[in-house]
Amino acid sequence: MTDQSLHGRIRAAILSLDLAPEQRLSERGLEPDFGASRTPIRAALMRLESEGLVQRDGKNWIVAPLNLEEIRVLYEFREILEAAAVRFAVSRASRDDLEELRELANSAEADETPEHSLDAGTSFHLELARISGNPFLEDTMRSVLTRLYRTRWLDVQSAESRGRVHNEHSAIANALLAADPAAAELATLEHLRGTETRLEQSITADRLRLRANGISLRSTATAQ
Amino acid sequence: MTDQSLHGRIRAAILSLDLAPEQRLSERGLEPDFGASRTPIRAALMRLESEGLVQRDGKNWIVAPLNLEEIRVLYEFREILEAAAVRFAVSRASRDDLEELRELANSAEADETPEHSLDAGTSFHLELARISGNPFLEDTMRSVLTRLYRTRWLDVQSAESRGRVHNEHSAIANALLAADPAAAELATLEHLRGTETRLEQSITADRLRLRANGISLRSTATAQ
DNA sequence: CTCTGCACTGTGGTATACCAATATGGTATC
DNA sequence: GATACCATATTGGTATACCACAGTGCAGAG
C-alpha cells in the first residue's frame, strides 16, 4: 500500500484522512510538505482528480468531500459490478485462483487492526474482480473501492464488524469454490447491503465525533 | 462534439483517426500542431492517458492501439453496464426522459452520414445511462464508449448497418416506454451482440484496407 | 463611523530553461 | 567491410519565472 511516488504519497495522505475532506490544497503549499516542485505536484493532483480523490472548487483544489448520497450511489453501482464478477468467477476462475481468494478472506482474521482489515477487504474484492477475467471490470472495481475507502474506515472500527465482514467474505469464497453462482451472488449482495447498512449506522452514530475532528459529511451533491 | 480546449482538440484528432493508432507522440512535436507549449500539452496527454486514448510505450507517448481482445472485453463489460442501465431506467426514468430517448433513437434516421450516425449512437447510449439515475454508471459508460469509438467507425460505414442500429435503438426505447424490463434488457443484449458481431466481420473484411491506411489491429495485448 | 477604492498577496495557467537518459549516426579502427 | 565507440540530437522529467486574475485588507474620503 505504500507507494514511493509523489502521487502515491499524496494519495495515501488523503486515504488516511491526514488530508481532511474538503481541505483546500494549493500547489505551492504542497511543495514543502512533499519535497517536490509544482510541476510534479500539479501532475499528481490532476491524476488524483481523475481518481475522484481531489476536486476543483472553482479554480482551487480541494480534497474530495465525503458525501452520503455519493456513497449510496457507489454502493448501488458496486452491486452491479460485484454481481457480475462472481458470475464470471464461477465460470472462469481456476481452482488456484479461488483458493487464493479464500486465503485472502481468511488472512483478515489473523491481524485484527482496523487498517489491516480495511486493506485486506480491499484486496479480497480486487482479487475477486481480477479472477472474473475482465480487466475493465477490475479497473472499475478498483476505482469504486478507492472512492469508498475513506468512509470504510468507519466500518472497520469495531471488532464485531470486522468479524462479520470476515465471515461474509468466507461465505462468498466458499460459494465460489462450490461452483454455486446463485449462492455466491446472494452472499455477495448480502455482504454489500450489510456493509452499507452498518456504514450508514456508523455515520449517523459518529457524525458528531467526525465533526469534532474537522470532518463533515455532506448529504447532498457538492458540485456545480 | 467540437471542444475548443487543447485536450478536446487532441482527443478529436485521435477519435477521428487523424492521429493513427500506435503513432508516436512527442510533447515538443505537438507544440506546432496545436499551437501550445509543452506544459498544457503534457497535461492533455496525461488526461488522455487516463481516458485510455493515449498510452506510454516505455517513456514515450503513443496513440492507444486498436486491440481486438480489448474490444471483446469492452463489449462484455458493456453488456453488464447496459443491462443494469435499462433495468434502472424502467423503474426510475420519467416519461419525458424516455420520450427524449426515443427522440434520440429516431434522430439517427434523418441525417445518414456515418459520422452523424456514430455520434447519435453515442448520445443514445449515454442518455440511456443518464436516465438510469446512477452517475457512476453514466461515467463508466462514457469511458467505455470512448474507448470503443474508433472501432465503431467501421460499423457505421454501411447504410444497412446504420439502419439496423436505428431499428434496434428504437426497439429498446419502445420497450422502455412500455415499462417492460425483460424486453428492454433482451433488446439491449441483442443490439450489443449484433453490433459486436457486425464489427468483427467488418474488421476481418477491412483488415487489408485498414493496413493500407497505416492502421493495424492487434489481436493480443500490447501492454507493459 | 462607513464606504469606496487601491495596493498587495496568493492562486492557478503557461512558457521555458535545464537535466539525465537514450537513441542515433558517423567515424575511426581492426 | 565490419564493428566498436563517441559526439550529438531528441526525449521526457523537473524547476522556475512570468502572467493574469481574484480575494483581502487597509487607508483615505465622505
Side-chain angles (χ1 to χ4, degrees), chain A residues 46 73 76-77 92 134 140, chain B residues 46 73 76-77 92 134:
Chain A
M46 289 190 293
V73 172
E76 180 181 277
F77 186 45
R92 293 179 183 168
N134 189 307
T140 309
Chain B
M46 289 190 293
V73 172
E76 180 181 277
F77 186 46
R92 291 179 184 168
N134 190 307

Side-chain angles (χ1 to χ4, degrees), chain A residues 88-89 92-93 97-98 101 126-134 176:
Chain A
F88 286 153
R92 293 179 183 168
D97 282 339
L98 293 175
L101 188 69
L126 265 186
E127 172 68 5
L128 176 53
R130 189 189 66 78
I131 65 177
S132 77
N134 189 307
L176 288 173

Side-chain angles (χ1 to χ4, degrees), chain B residues 141-180:
Chain B
M141 186 77 77
R142 176 176 295 109
S143 164
V144 169
L145 291 175
T146 296
R147 288 170 193 258
L148 287 173
Y149 191 95
R150 292 178 298 172
T151 59
R152 287 164 57 225
W153 272 112
L154 289 171
D155 190 41
V156 293
Q157 291 303 317
S158 82
E160 181 207 355
S161 181
R162 290 197 298 272
R164 201 148 18 188
V165 165
H166 167 252
N167 288 336
E168 289 167 358
H169 284 179
S170 293
I172 294 170
N174 287 332
L176 287 172
L177 274 163
D180 186 340

Side-chain angles (χ1 to χ4, degrees), chain A residues 117-223:
Chain A
S117 174
L118 190 47
D119 287 342
T122 301
S123 298
F124 177 84
H125 288 282
L126 265 186
E127 172 68 5
L128 176 53
R130 189 189 66 78
I131 65 177
S132 77
N134 189 307
F136 290 96
L137 181 51
E138 183 184 354
D139 289 345
T140 309
M141 185 78 78
R142 176 177 294 110
S143 164
V144 168
L145 291 175
T146 297
R147 287 170 193 258
L148 287 172
Y149 191 94
R150 292 178 299 172
T151 59
R152 286 163 58 223
W153 272 111
L154 289 171
D155 191 41
V156 293
Q157 290 305 315
S158 82
E160 182 206 355
S161 179
R162 291 196 296 271
R164 202 147 17 186
V165 166
H166 167 252
N167 289 336
E168 290 167 358
H169 284 179
S170 292
I172 295 170
N174 287 332
L176 288 173
L177 275 162
D180 185 341
E185 189 167 336
L186 189 64
T188 302
L189 292 182
E190 276 178 0
H191 171 51
L192 291 180
R193 285 168 187 165
T195 303
E196 188 186 0
T197 302
R198 290 195 297 274
L199 186 57
E200 286 181 357
Q201 286 169 353
S202 300
I203 287 172
T204 307
D206 289 0
R207 202 154 193 152
L208 290 179
R209 192 169 59 74
L210 285 172
R211 193 170 296 273
N213 289 326
I215 298 171
S216 70
L217 273 153
R218 298 176 175 275
S219 49
T220 59
T222 60

